[in-house]
């Protein structure tokens, strides 16, 4: 179990030849846009840190991936946990494993965390997606996760209960990362909840300067859903227009965040094309691609220039609004009420995937602690 600590490179100065830098290194050194790694696999994080990454993330899907890729490391640990906790369920052991994976990868970001005073250098650990309707349970788990390492940031879903939990844990000093989030109404509800939590904390005389809350917009998952709708309802649209849906929501949210002075940063996730990176360069935002997308970006010839303030073509936005009611729900400030957050189709689809990953983690643990005796005879 690695506890590497790797610092990021120094900013560009007159002695640095930009031509020698990868596109992601150029981005991280040219302005406020930060790179996080959407993986907790050790090899991926090492690569990403070399590109200038200042954060990483973990969720049930990622834990499952790490377990499969690093089975020689974690399989013995599962067996040890089963011996140490003979009455523990598969689920309890699986979550203990997720905590340990997250803590070891948080250690790899420790030096970055110190350099950035808490705003970056964090490992994002996700609460149990099956708790998305229970604010009290989310608060309890978030407080527990925040104690696993000094540089933890805790993911909470942008559901009705999740929004409530975000304010409470922020007031208690926990930096949050809103996840299962695809829309402007969710991003605004998250920002308001975090602001309320920060103000409560300030009124108590507690520090907020070392906190680093972010709000994820899963740009590609909004695009995914609209493509499903187009296919099911035989909707014809200009080629490529659906690739702009998540970008349009993100850019509008970023503009409103700046106008209102929210202290939570936006984070772009769920990458499907280079625009989920390239169109957001220049903003005081976080770009969080998986390692395979980082390699693609670095192998591309896409110019690394600020584009965050360049609006999506109005004709594209109008076409999306005209043909896809769910885009309007994601794009308009009043598109979703707080009571509709849990039933928005991208929310339900993503929660189902995360919950399924939890089930698959249980299966992986079961395969270790109740190994097939016939296989041992082979």
């Amino acid at each position: 179990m690695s506890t590497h600590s790797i610092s990021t490179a120094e900013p560009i100065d007159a002695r640095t030849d930009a031509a020698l830098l990868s596109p992601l290194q150029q981005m991280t050194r040219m302005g406020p846009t930060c790179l996080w790694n959407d993986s907790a696999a050790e090899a991926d994080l090492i690569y990403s840190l070399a590109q200038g990454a200042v954060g990483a993330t973990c969720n049930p899907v990622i834990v499952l991936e790490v377990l499969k890729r690093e089975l020689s490391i974690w399989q013995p640990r599962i067996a040890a946990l089963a011996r140490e906790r003979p009455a523990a369920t598969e689920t309890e052991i699986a979550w203990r494993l997720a905590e340990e994976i997250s803590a070891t990868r948080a250690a790899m970001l420790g030096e970055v965390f110190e350099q950035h005073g808490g705003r970056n250098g964090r490992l994002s650990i996700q609460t149990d997606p099956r708790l998305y309707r229970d604010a009290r349970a989310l608060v309890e788990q978030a407080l527990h996760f925040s104690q696993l390492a000094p540089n933890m940031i805790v993911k909470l879903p942008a559901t009705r209960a999740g929004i409530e939990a975000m304010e409470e844990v922020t007031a208690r000093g926990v930096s949050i990362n809103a996840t299962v989030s695809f829309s402007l109404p969710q991003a605004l509800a998250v920002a308001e909840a975090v602001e309320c939590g920060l103000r409560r904390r300030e009124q108590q005389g507690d520090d907020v300067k070392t906190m680093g809350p972010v709000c994820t917009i899963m740009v590609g998952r909004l695009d995914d859903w609209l493509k499903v709708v187009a296919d099911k309802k035989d909707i014809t649209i200009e080629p490529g227009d659906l690739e702009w849906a998540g970008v349009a929501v993100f850019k509008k949210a970023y503009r409103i965040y700046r106008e209102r002075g929210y202290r939570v940063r936006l984070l772009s996730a769920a990458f499907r094309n280079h625009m989920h990176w390239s169109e957001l360069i220049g903003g005081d935002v976080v770009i969080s691609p998986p390692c395979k997308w980082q390699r693609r970006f670095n192998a591309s010839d896409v110019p690394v220039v600020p584009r965050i303030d360049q609006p999506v073509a109005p004709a594209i936005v109008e076409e999306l609004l005209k043909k896809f009611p769910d885009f309007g729900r994601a794009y308009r400030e009043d598109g979703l009420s707080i009571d509709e957050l849990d039933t928005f189709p991208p929310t339900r689809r993503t929660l189902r995937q995360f919950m399924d990953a939890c089930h698959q983690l249980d299966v992986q643990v079961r395969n270790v602690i109740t190994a097939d005796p016939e296989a041992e005879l082979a």
Side-chain angles (χ1 to χ4, degrees):
M1 292 178 283
S2 173
T3 55
H4 289 85
S5 181
I6 304 175
S7 60
T8 53
E10 294 299 319
I12 289 178
D13 59 26
R15 297 167 295 177
T16 304
D17 185 352
L20 300 176
L21 302 175
S22 69
L24 289 177
Q25 288 171 334
Q26 292 177 46
M27 179 195 76
T28 58
R29 300 189 190 191
M30 72 183 294
T33 308
C34 289
L35 173 68
W36 288 14
N37 184 56
D38 194 16
S39 168
E42 182 178 43
D44 290 353
L45 185 49
I46 289 172
Y47 175 87
S48 190
L49 285 164
Q51 306 308 308
V54 291
T57 192
C58 199
N59 62 35
V61 175
I62 290 172
V63 171
L64 190 61
E65 174 197 359
V66 171
L67 184 57
K68 291 177 179 178
R69 290 176 60 178
E70 302 175 7
L71 192 59
S72 62
I73 298 173
W74 297 108
Q75 188 175 47
R77 184 58 185 144
I78 293 172
L81 285 170
R83 291 192 299 270
E84 294 166 10
R85 305 174 67 184
T89 66
E90 296 161 354
T91 298
E92 290 169 339
I93 292 174
W95 275 101
R96 180 58 189 168
L97 184 72
E99 292 177 11
E100 292 192 6
I101 290 173
S102 298
T104 62
R105 305 306 139 88
M108 295 174 67
L109 292 161
E111 187 175 338
V112 180
F113 180 68
E114 294 297 326
Q115 291 172 350
H116 288 252
R119 194 167 192 254
N120 290 303
R122 293 181 179 271
L123 189 287
S124 187
I125 181 173
Q126 184 163 330
T127 49
D128 190 332
R130 293 165 292 194
L131 302 177
Y132 77 96
R133 296 187 298 171
D134 189 337
R136 181 177 297 179
L138 288 170
V139 168
E140 181 178 347
Q141 192 171 55
L143 292 172
H144 169 66
F145 284 168
S146 71
Q147 299 300 312
L148 296 176
N151 56 332
M152 283 295 180
I153 183 171
V154 181
K155 283 187 174 183
L156 293 156
T159 58
R160 182 185 180 93
I163 299 294
E164 179 183 342
M166 288 176 204
E167 177 183 343
E168 181 60 30
V169 300
T170 298
R172 298 196 195 187
V174 177
S175 292
I176 66 96
N177 177 356
T179 187
V180 194
S181 173
F182 324 87
S183 69
L184 179 60
Q186 286 174 298
L188 296 180
V190 169
E192 289 293 336
V194 171
E195 284 298 317
C196 287
L198 292 174
R199 287 195 295 270
R200 284 172 55 189
R201 190 161 178 79
E202 288 170 328
Q203 290 167 0
Q204 296 163 184
D206 294 321
D207 175 64
V208 299
K209 293 180 181 178
T210 58
M211 296 175 68
V214 297
C215 175
T216 294
I217 296 182
M218 305 176 97
V219 285
R221 287 180 179 265
L222 177 61
D223 297 359
D224 290 346
W225 173 245
L226 297 184
K227 291 172 186 176
V228 170
V229 173
D231 182 61
K232 295 291 186 182
K233 297 193 174 183
D234 296 321
I235 297 172
T236 301
I237 190 168
E238 287 297 317
D241 282 7
L242 285 173
E243 307 297 328
W244 288 95
V247 171
V249 169
F250 194 102
K251 289 194 175 199
K252 185 175 182 181
Y254 181 67
R255 175 177 58 79
I256 294 174
Y257 268 40
R258 285 191 297 173
E259 290 172 352
R260 299 183 183 177
Y262 291 136
R263 288 175 281 183
V264 58
R265 282 180 296 170
L266 287 172
L267 181 152
S268 172
F271 288 72
R272 304 293 185 266
N273 61 62
H274 79 74
M275 295 187 302
H276 296 155
W277 158 61
S278 60
E279 283 293 320
L280 310 178
I281 294 172
D284 185 10
V285 301
V286 176
I287 308 292
S288 185
C291 194
K292 70 175 183 178
W293 277 100
Q294 293 178 43
R295 294 181 187 276
R296 288 180 185 178
F297 298 153
N298 280 340
S300 75
D301 56 2
V302 177
V304 181
V305 296
R307 296 185 184 87
I308 187 69
D309 291 323
Q310 297 177 8
V312 175
I316 292 176
V317 174
E318 289 304 315
E319 183 79 351
L320 292 170
L321 287 169
K322 176 182 176 182
K323 295 186 174 180
F324 296 93
D326 278 344
F327 176 72
R329 298 171 77 192
Y331 187 74
R332 295 189 174 100
E333 286 190 52
D334 60 352
L336 292 166
S337 70
I338 191 71
D339 292 323
E340 293 173 318
L341 300 184
D342 295 18
T343 57
F344 189 44
T347 299
R348 286 184 289 166
R349 293 182 92 221
T350 301
L351 284 170
R352 285 172 63 89
Q353 182 188 8
F354 286 166
M355 291 176 189
D356 184 62
C358 291
H359 170 70
Q360 293 302 318
L361 274 174
D362 289 351
V363 171
Q364 292 292 325
V365 171
R366 183 183 314 144
N367 289 342
V368 174
I369 63 177
T370 59
D372 183 359
E374 293 183 17
E376 296 174 358
L377 297 174

